[in-house]
Amino acid sequence: MPKKAIIAAAAIAVAASGAQAQSERKQLDAAESDPAKLGWMQGTPPPADKQVKFEDGSYFRFPQLRWSFSNWRQFFPTLPLHRGDAPVHAFPRAERDDIDALTFTPLSGDKPMSWKEALGANYTDAIVVLHKGKIVYERYMGVTTAASQHIAFSVTKSYIGTLAASLTAEGKLDPAKLVTDYVPELADSGFAGATVRQVMDMTTGIAFDETYTNADADIIRHARAGRAAPRRADYNGPDGFLAFLPTIGKQGEHGERFTYRTANSDALGWIITRATGIPVREQLEQRFWSKLGMEQDAALVVDAQGTPFAGGGLMVSLRDMARFGEMMRQGGKWNGQQVVPAAAISDITKGGGKAEFAKNGAYPTLPGWSYRNQWWVSHNDHGAYMARGIHGQAIYIDPKAEMVIARFASHPVAGNVAIDPTSIPAYEALGRLLADEKRN
Amino acid sequence: MPKKAIIAAAAIAVAASGAQAQSERKQLDAAESDPAKLGWMQGTPPPADKQVKFEDGSYFRFPQLRWSFSNWRQFFPTLPLHRGDAPVHAFPRAERDDIDALTFTPLSGDKPMSWKEALGANYTDAIVVLHKGKIVYERYMGVTTAASQHIAFSVTKSYIGTLAASLTAEGKLDPAKLVTDYVPELADSGFAGATVRQVMDMTTGIAFDETYTNADADIIRHARAGRAAPRRADYNGPDGFLAFLPTIGKQGEHGERFTYRTANSDALGWIITRATGIPVREQLEQRFWSKLGMEQDAALVVDAQGTPFAGGGLMVSLRDMARFGEMMRQGGKWNGQQVVPAAAISDITKGGGKAEFAKNGAYPTLPGWSYRNQWWVSHNDHGAYMARGIHGQAIYIDPKAEMVIARFASHPVAGNVAIDPTSIPAYEALGRLLADEKRN
């Protein structure tokens, strides 16, 4: 099959998973499913048919999720990441009027699409583009505003991975050590025998089903243990993310291939807490929130033990997410201070094993990519790399174009394979435009 | 019975309510129950016997509550009150060394006690004293720090009452109207026939049992409806504070006497939302958090409909609570701006009906006091008035001494009648000291 057909087939397969319900949900386009227009949670109290609830699962159903993702905090107990009292870093503005009309060819089609059309095709909630540290483009849609703290889902992992890479560069964490050297509680689990590096790069052979549409998949059971998914009244499973991790078994060999499993990120959070004696929440606050001129305190979903959901619990404003991306693009420096060691940044941008990534087979939209320190690395001619979360959350950093894109979305489909076709080529085209290159 | 004996008897009666369990819990003094020393929630994850949980009710048991009150947010879904990006108002400091040794006579005893001894007797978590807008005294104990967002419990009501008084002064709310003029949903409830003023001053005759130690009391059922207390697995009661309010019946006549019932405060939140079309959370943010140079975003417990717990859901840092008190002391002005109308402040400070208050009989520690706009007014010769929350939360404003005290506590007993004897005379003595008066 030619590449485009593979991508189209993969997108259809993802869209079809969850069968009829999911395909019905797909019928509303971005304008039709606009959460402001549908009136979710309007009124005091909202009428019963306009309520979006955690307990009944409606918070995670399309089209309600278009409201939920910008209002995630009211479904979960959270802890703050305090910004402290440092001044806000206000991005200079140099907005361009040539971006909306920029065209590109989606991965799964032949017809060109404009940047502006792509925002709808992607069910974008909010997007900001920085060029050389200035805002050149910024849009908010539906119920999402500059103040909204949108759930970042697995973009959270890249913050944790950057912490781990930083601690490694600073000699406080040894990726060559075994997971169990730091966390003996995992000795009887599928993590036994894995190195910290394998956890950081998701090449462990743990048994962990990451199928979001299967209510009994490990990813859902893991979330349930951490109160991040509804429990049935008779729930008697593990209580807490760190109580769930030791129950995970083994499925393959460690180190052989990349397999995206959220449990690795939560194990990594546990490891770096043990390595430093400092909880992940405090480390995120000390290293990032107190230093990057953030606009807001952010929030982290926590379980009943106060452990943050390292695999996907960050709620953050769009521009604060962009500040993190911009610090990465600047080689870890912010305001003259080295917030993340330069060695950590280069260890991320050089990427991971392309062969291990290719063996996976589930990422037709990411040919030639790799995964390193919880970041997705394109190895394209701009050296772009990404933080990625389900339903379209993204940070896209293009070092050559000196561009950072932060995007929130509420696509009906979880898997980014359905979202990449109208996103990645758009980002690449914008990178070429901003770098003053001819289109190819 | 002489007054002191009545107070002592009332304190014993409160302490004895909940019977044996409660009296056993009382055995640990402040030092013995220090939550840092007891190691609650230390470790990743904390050992099972050191976990403090919402689901099993341990979060609200002494001595665990000494940890919980400073970490309330991780038990509940919350919404933020954003401080925005205005500069922090840093209080000038003029700390005095003569406060710890200040002595006073507790209401229920004859022996003098020092200010410093009273902090232990009260299970104080944190206290700050402002004099003429400067910090003259500030202490943090146990696990509570300047950054901690402690639950303020019913101190929350005074913020809501100040909103209501402000809207009244601005002509946006009419206290003479019936509750049902604003909220027709309450037509078949005990609120029918009550005026907004009666709700503001808690003289409604609704049937609402406010006994904190009774698991089936209305106050607990109300909290449970709002997810602010654990539900049993088979819970099928109302979902949401605003779903509970219409189920409340009637017990007495409206307007005859003061009876402290939290449901009035949540009804008031509903009323002012309807009167203005602006949710309470936004009003609190617009009027107070964005204007008073707050250090932090605060947090509000919300129910599944996103309605804040107006009766007791505010989590706030100590100094941010003091900023609110200082704005009140300054007649509603802050930084040259009239944040609360002067007429609203004077309507609060002049107090409510002393006769209606005295009829209640349950407040031997507050002789001659009244209740107005959700504030407790002393009518003493300094014109002091208070915001009060269970287990010892307080703002004490002494206009004559130009003094504001903000205090967080985690006393084993909920009712302030057990806490006032070593607090109110201490505050009065400090007011006299700061006003340069002779002791009497």
Side-chain angles (χ1 to χ4, degrees):
Chain A
M1 262 201 299
K3 187 178 136 198
K4 281 184 183 168
I6 294 171
I7 292 167
I12 290 164
V14 169
S17 69
Q20 197 186 354
Q22 185 100 10
S23 82
E24 277 174 14
R25 277 178 244 152
K26 270 223 76 179
Q27 292 172 358
L28 297 182
D29 68 18
E32 291 160 345
S33 62
D34 182 320
K37 207 176 73 179
L38 295 183
W40 303 117
M41 295 293 267
Q42 297 302 304
T44 307
D49 66 342
K50 293 297 182 185
Q51 293 190 13
V52 181
K53 291 193 178 184
F54 177 73
E55 289 74 10
D56 65 10
S58 57
Y59 78 116
F60 220 143
R61 278 200 294 270
F62 182 82
Q64 291 95 321
L65 58 76
R66 302 214 66 199
W67 184 88
S68 307
F69 289 2
S70 292
N71 293 279
W72 206 241
R73 176 163 161 182
Q74 71 189 68
F75 298 113
F76 304 93
T78 62
L79 280 177
L81 294 167
H82 289 301
R83 62 173 300 284
D85 57 6
V88 172
H89 173 85
F91 290 117
R93 304 190 81 94
E95 296 189 56
R96 295 177 61 133
D97 58 8
D98 57 348
I99 295 178
D100 274 330
L102 175 71
T103 57
F104 65 92
T105 306
L107 294 180
S108 51
D110 292 315
K111 278 190 248 170
M113 177 180 270
S114 73
W115 173 275
K116 191 178 177 183
E117 288 169 332
L119 300 187
N122 275 320
Y123 295 79
T124 299
D125 292 332
I127 188 162
V128 63
V129 182
L130 303 177
H131 182 221
K132 300 183 181 178
K134 295 179 184 174
I135 291 178
V136 294
Y137 188 92
E138 186 177 17
R139 294 287 186 281
Y140 298 92
M141 270 76 76
V143 295
T144 315
T145 70
S148 298
Q149 298 190 314
H150 197 285
I151 179 66
F153 288 126
S154 295
V155 169
T156 312
K157 295 177 167 76
S158 302
Y159 288 77
I160 305 295
T162 305
L163 277 184
S166 300
L167 295 169
T168 300
E170 291 162 356
K172 296 172 186 161
L173 177 70
D174 183 355
K177 281 197 176 175
L178 294 176
V179 170
T180 48
D181 290 336
Y182 291 105
V183 185
E185 289 93 331
L186 292 172
D188 296 326
S189 79
F191 288 100
T195 64
V196 173
R197 168 51 59 203
Q198 289 160 347
V199 167
M200 290 164 82
D201 295 352
M202 294 225 194
T203 60
T204 58
I206 58 170
F208 190 87
D209 174 9
E210 187 97 9
T211 309
Y212 301 99
T213 47
N214 171 2
D216 292 316
D218 298 302
I219 181 65
I220 308 298
R221 293 172 53 236
H222 178 60
R224 216 175 267 146
R227 302 190 298 201
R231 296 175 176 179
R232 278 184 298 262
D234 60 350
Y235 180 77
N236 65 356
D239 187 32
F241 296 114
L242 307 189
F244 185 80
L245 295 178
T247 71
I248 295 174
K250 201 172 172 200
Q251 191 167 33
E253 295 308 305
H254 296 311
E256 290 208 336
R257 64 175 216 166
F258 166 70
T259 313
Y260 187 80
R261 289 157 173 147
T262 289
N264 286 305
S265 307
D266 288 293
L268 185 56
W270 202 354
I271 290 163
I272 65 181
T273 300
R274 286 286 168 82
T276 58
I278 303 171
V280 161
R281 192 202 68 77
E282 284 179 40
Q283 293 193 53
L284 290 170
E285 187 171 279
Q286 287 168 13
R287 194 177 289 266
F288 303 129
W289 263 262
S290 67
K291 296 211 176 115
L292 301 182
M294 299 297 199
E295 283 177 48
Q296 293 188 8
D297 293 356
L300 276 173
V301 171
V302 292
D303 67 15
Q305 290 68 39
T307 306
F309 184 16
L314 177 66
M315 279 147 274
V316 61
S317 78
L318 184 71
R319 287 197 298 248
D320 282 344
M321 194 161 84
R323 286 179 178 92
F324 175 71
E326 179 65 9
M327 176 278 296
M328 296 294 293
R329 187 192 71 79
Q330 292 187 12
K333 267 196 190 160
W334 191 264
N335 268 345
Q337 191 186 2
Q338 197 75 40
V339 171
V340 169
I345 302 286
S346 63
D347 191 66
I348 290 165
T349 55
K350 77 166 197 250
K354 287 166 125 182
E356 289 84 347
F357 190 91
K359 268 191 215 168
N360 183 293
Y363 299 96
T365 58
L366 307 177
W369 288 50
S370 72
Y371 191 85
R372 181 75 169 176
N373 296 322
Q374 313 272 306
W375 286 85
W376 305 77
V377 183
S378 79
H379 300 279
N380 72 6
D381 62 343
H382 280 211
Y385 57 107
M386 289 186 79
R388 293 158 61 85
I390 51 169
H391 296 274
Q393 322 320 315
I395 306 173
Y396 182 93
I397 301 171
D398 177 337
K400 189 172 175 198
E402 301 172 87
M403 176 181 81
V404 172
I405 299 172
R407 180 188 66 182
F408 292 133
S410 46
H411 196 285
V413 176
N416 277 301
V417 71
I419 304 159
D420 288 337
T422 57
S423 303
I424 289 177
Y427 298 164
E428 289 175 343
L430 186 53
R432 288 191 296 272
L433 178 72
L434 296 180
D436 273 328
E437 292 167 24
K438 280 190 195 159
R439 311 260 183 98
N440 37 4
Chain B
M1 259 199 303
K3 189 180 134 196
K4 280 185 182 168
I6 294 171
I7 292 167
I12 290 164
V14 168
S17 68
Q20 197 185 356
Q22 185 101 8
S23 82
E24 277 175 13
R25 279 178 243 150
K26 269 224 75 176
Q27 291 173 359
L28 296 182
D29 68 18
E32 290 160 347
S33 62
D34 182 321
K37 206 177 75 181
L38 294 183
W40 303 117
M41 295 294 268
Q42 296 303 303
T44 308
D49 65 343
K50 294 296 183 187
Q51 293 189 12
V52 181
K53 292 192 177 183
F54 176 72
E55 288 74 10
D56 65 10
S58 58
Y59 78 115
F60 221 141
R61 279 202 292 269
F62 182 83
Q64 290 94 322
L65 58 76
R66 304 216 65 199
W67 183 89
S68 307
F69 289 1
S70 292
N71 292 279
W72 206 242
R73 177 164 160 182
Q74 71 189 68
F75 298 112
F76 304 93
T78 61
L79 280 177
L81 294 167
H82 290 301
R83 62 173 300 286
D85 56 7
V88 171
H89 173 85
F91 289 117
R93 304 190 80 94
E95 296 190 56
R96 296 177 61 134
D97 57 9
D98 57 348
I99 295 178
D100 274 330
L102 175 70
T103 57
F104 65 93
T105 305
L107 294 181
S108 51
D110 292 314
K111 276 190 249 171
M113 176 181 271
S114 74
W115 174 274
K116 192 178 177 184
E117 287 168 334
L119 300 186
N122 276 319
Y123 295 80
T124 299
D125 292 333
I127 188 163
V128 63
V129 181
L130 303 178
H131 182 222
K132 300 181 180 180
K134 296 180 183 174
I135 291 179
V136 294
Y137 188 90
E138 186 177 18
R139 295 286 187 282
Y140 298 93
M141 270 75 78
V143 295
T144 314
T145 70
S148 299
Q149 299 190 312
H150 198 285
I151 180 65
F153 289 124
S154 296
V155 169
T156 312
K157 294 177 169 77
S158 302
Y159 288 77
I160 304 297
T162 305
L163 277 184
S166 300
L167 295 168
T168 300
E170 292 161 357
K172 296 171 186 163
L173 178 70
D174 182 356
K177 281 197 175 175
L178 293 177
V179 171
T180 48
D181 290 336
Y182 291 105
V183 186
E185 290 94 329
L186 292 173
D188 296 326
S189 78
F191 288 100
T195 63
V196 172
R197 168 53 59 205
Q198 288 160 348
V199 166
M200 290 164 82
D201 295 351
M202 295 222 193
T203 59
T204 58
I206 57 171
F208 191 86
D209 174 10
E210 187 96 10
T211 309
Y212 300 100
T213 47
N214 171 2
D216 292 317
D218 298 301
I219 180 65
I220 308 298
R221 293 172 53 237
H222 178 61
R224 215 176 266 144
R227 302 191 297 202
R231 295 174 177 181
R232 278 184 299 263
D234 60 351
Y235 179 78
N236 65 355
D239 188 32
F241 296 115
L242 307 188
F244 185 79
L245 294 179
T247 71
I248 294 174
K250 200 171 170 201
Q251 194 167 30
E253 294 309 306
H254 297 311
E256 292 209 336
R257 61 177 220 169
F258 166 70
T259 314
Y260 188 80
R261 289 158 174 147
T262 289
N264 285 305
S265 307
D266 288 293
L268 185 57
W270 202 355
I271 290 164
I272 65 181
T273 301
R274 286 287 169 82
T276 58
I278 304 171
V280 162
R281 192 203 68 76
E282 284 178 41
Q283 293 194 53
L284 291 170
E285 187 171 282
Q286 287 168 11
R287 194 178 288 267
F288 304 129
W289 262 263
S290 66
K291 296 210 177 115
L292 301 182
M294 300 295 199
E295 284 177 47
Q296 294 188 8
D297 292 356
L300 275 173
V301 172
V302 291
D303 66 16
Q305 289 69 36
T307 306
F309 184 15
L314 176 67
M315 280 148 273
V316 60
S317 77
L318 184 71
R319 288 196 297 248
D320 282 345
M321 195 162 84
R323 286 180 178 90
F324 174 71
E326 179 65 9
M327 176 276 298
M328 297 294 293
R329 186 191 73 78
Q330 293 186 12
K333 268 197 191 163
W334 191 264
N335 267 345
Q337 191 186 1
Q338 197 77 39
V339 170
V340 169
I345 301 285
S346 62
D347 192 64
I348 290 165
T349 54
K350 78 167 195 248
K354 287 168 126 184
E356 289 82 349
F357 190 92
K359 270 191 214 167
N360 184 293
Y363 299 97
T365 58
L366 306 178
W369 288 50
S370 71
Y371 191 84
R372 182 74 168 175
N373 295 323
Q374 313 270 307
W375 287 86
W376 305 76
V377 182
S378 78
H379 301 278
N380 71 8
D381 62 343
H382 279 212
Y385 57 107
M386 291 186 77
R388 294 158 61 87
I390 50 168
H391 296 275
Q393 322 320 316
I395 306 175
Y396 182 94
I397 301 172
D398 177 336
K400 187 171 178 198
E402 300 171 86
M403 176 180 83
V404 173
I405 299 173
R407 179 188 67 182
F408 292 134
S410 47
H411 196 284
V413 175
N416 277 302
V417 70
I419 304 160
D420 288 338
T422 56
S423 302
I424 289 179
Y427 298 164
E428 288 175 343
L430 185 52
R432 288 191 295 271
L433 177 71
L434 296 180
D436 273 330
E437 293 166 23
K438 280 189 192 161
R439 309 260 184 97
N440 39 2

